[in-house]
Amino acid sequence: MTKSNPTRMVRDYTWIALGSLLYSLSFDWFYVPNQIGFGGLTALGMILNHLSPAIPIGTVVLVLNIPIFILGWKFLGGHTLVSSLFAMAATSVLVDLIAALYTFPPMDPMLSAVFGGVSLGASLGMIFSKGATTGGTDLIARLLKLPFAWLPMGKLLMVVDLTMLLAVSVAFRSLESAMYGIIALYISTLVMDQVLYGLDKSKVAYIITSNPRPMAEEIDRQLDRGTTFLYGEGSFSGQNKLVLMCAFKQRQIVPLKALVHELDPQAFLIVCDAHEVLGLGFRRYQKNDL
């Protein structure tokens, strides 16, 4: 273990704890008092609590997670399971603790669905970003990520949770409960994927200029970004050209455009979104990365 690992572990678990607190607060504030459908094992907890209020939702989730964690241990390894156990225990305890300390009054269901989806999606993004889950269908979605690695985590979770939303609507005898739940689920999916994949946005620029090598040198010097020469040919002129390809951070788009215009006002610049950039100066590849 390197010297920096303990510090990183403390930072990761602090982040998971904050995400768990936000998750529990969102659930007790926006979902429970407004009977908004919720996916996953928490939905089963809501159904049992609705049938018998003496049954705590968090305790139900804790008990039902045990067989799922046993299954996950084989495929995800110790680190993911330990951090997920921590997140699951934290959310289960906090859900019951917050409910015991304060009962949130009902509010407009649409407001609950929108703001509940935003806050819950942010909390799940925080937890998932550190390699943990809250157990239940979150862990099932994490397992599904292994064979379906190209699918975003939020989309996988949405598919798994939709079936549970229907069960909640039957238990509450309210189709509106499921409809508001679908709205909240869709919003939470967008927010979660944004937290997981959108905080470190990158771009790719293609530059066609009459001064390719001097421009590449200035991009490297001023922006600390390397470039790659692509060999092309002008369809009209028939002349061979060097096309610059450069990956850079979102925040560098303004200085890059200014630099290109300064060196060659006639340059042709194309900027594209880059979903993921791995390598020097960007993210590093990690096994089982989300």
Side-chain angles (χ1 to χ4, degrees):
M1 179 178 290
T2 62
K3 189 174 181 180
S4 61
N5 277 341
T7 302
R8 179 177 179 179
M9 184 176 295
V10 170
R11 185 173 65 247
D12 288 352
Y13 275 84
T14 300
W15 193 247
I16 293 172
L18 291 174
S20 300
L21 176 61
L22 180 58
Y23 178 99
S24 305
L25 183 62
S26 303
F27 180 73
D28 283 331
W29 187 359
F30 297 111
Y31 287 83
V32 175
N34 301 285
Q35 293 190 339
I36 292 179
F38 194 85
L41 296 184
T42 307
L44 293 179
M46 291 178 70
I47 294 172
L48 293 176
N49 179 261
H50 177 70
L51 298 175
S52 177
I55 302 177
I57 296 175
T59 303
V60 172
V61 174
L62 195 62
V63 172
L64 292 177
N65 266 299
I66 294 175
I68 298 178
F69 270 89
I70 294 175
L71 177 65
W73 184 275
K74 177 180 178 181
F75 296 99
L76 297 179
H79 171 71
T80 298
L81 266 295
V82 170
S83 59
S84 296
L85 278 169
F86 173 78
M88 182 201 65
T91 52
S92 299
V93 171
L94 287 170
V95 162
D96 288 345
L97 181 61
I98 293 173
L101 293 175
Y102 184 75
T103 301
F104 290 93
M107 65 172 68
D108 181 86
M110 183 57 73
L111 288 177
S112 299
V114 172
F115 286 96
V118 170
S119 57
L120 196 80
S123 68
L124 288 175
M126 292 169 65
I127 294 171
F128 287 160
S129 68
K130 299 305 176 184
T133 73
T134 58
T137 52
D138 296 351
L139 185 54
I140 293 173
R142 184 68 180 86
L143 289 168
L144 288 174
K145 183 71 176 176
L146 298 178
F148 301 105
W150 64 90
L151 291 176
M153 190 68 183
K155 301 297 187 298
L156 283 171
L157 189 60
M158 183 172 65
V159 171
V160 175
D161 281 341
L162 278 175
T163 54
M164 298 308 303
L165 282 175
L166 298 177
V168 172
S169 66
V170 172
F172 290 155
R173 296 181 180 179
S174 172
L175 183 60
E176 290 184 355
S177 175
M179 294 171 70
Y180 284 123
I182 291 173
I183 293 173
L185 180 61
Y186 179 72
I187 293 174
S188 67
T189 296
L190 295 179
V191 173
M192 177 171 44
D193 283 343
Q194 187 67 21
V195 171
L196 285 174
Y197 309 116
L199 293 179
D200 188 24
K201 289 185 177 179
S202 299
K203 301 282 188 179
V204 173
Y206 297 92
I207 308 168
I208 302 174
T209 174
S210 57
N211 302 306
R213 297 190 184 277
M215 185 170 292
E217 293 175 0
E218 287 302 309
I219 292 174
D220 182 44
R221 186 180 69 84
Q222 296 188 31
L223 302 182
D224 194 26
R225 292 296 171 196
T227 57
T228 299
F229 291 123
L230 305 178
Y231 291 91
E233 179 183 336
S235 62
F236 180 75
S237 64
Q239 296 179 348
N240 293 330
K241 296 178 179 290
L242 288 180
V243 180
L244 277 66
M245 183 183 73
C246 176
F248 60 96
K249 300 287 187 178
Q250 168 77 33
R251 62 180 179 273
Q252 294 178 308
I253 187 170
V254 173
L256 176 66
K257 290 193 294 185
L259 175 61
V260 171
H261 180 74
E262 178 184 352
L263 295 178
D264 183 4
Q266 305 301 320
F268 200 73
L269 173 65
I270 304 171
V271 178
C272 307
D273 289 327
H275 177 59
E276 287 185 286
V277 180
L278 304 179
L280 184 62
F282 297 89
R283 292 177 54 239
R284 292 185 177 275
Y285 170 77
Q286 295 181 357
K287 187 178 180 180
N288 295 333
D289 197 1
L290 293 176

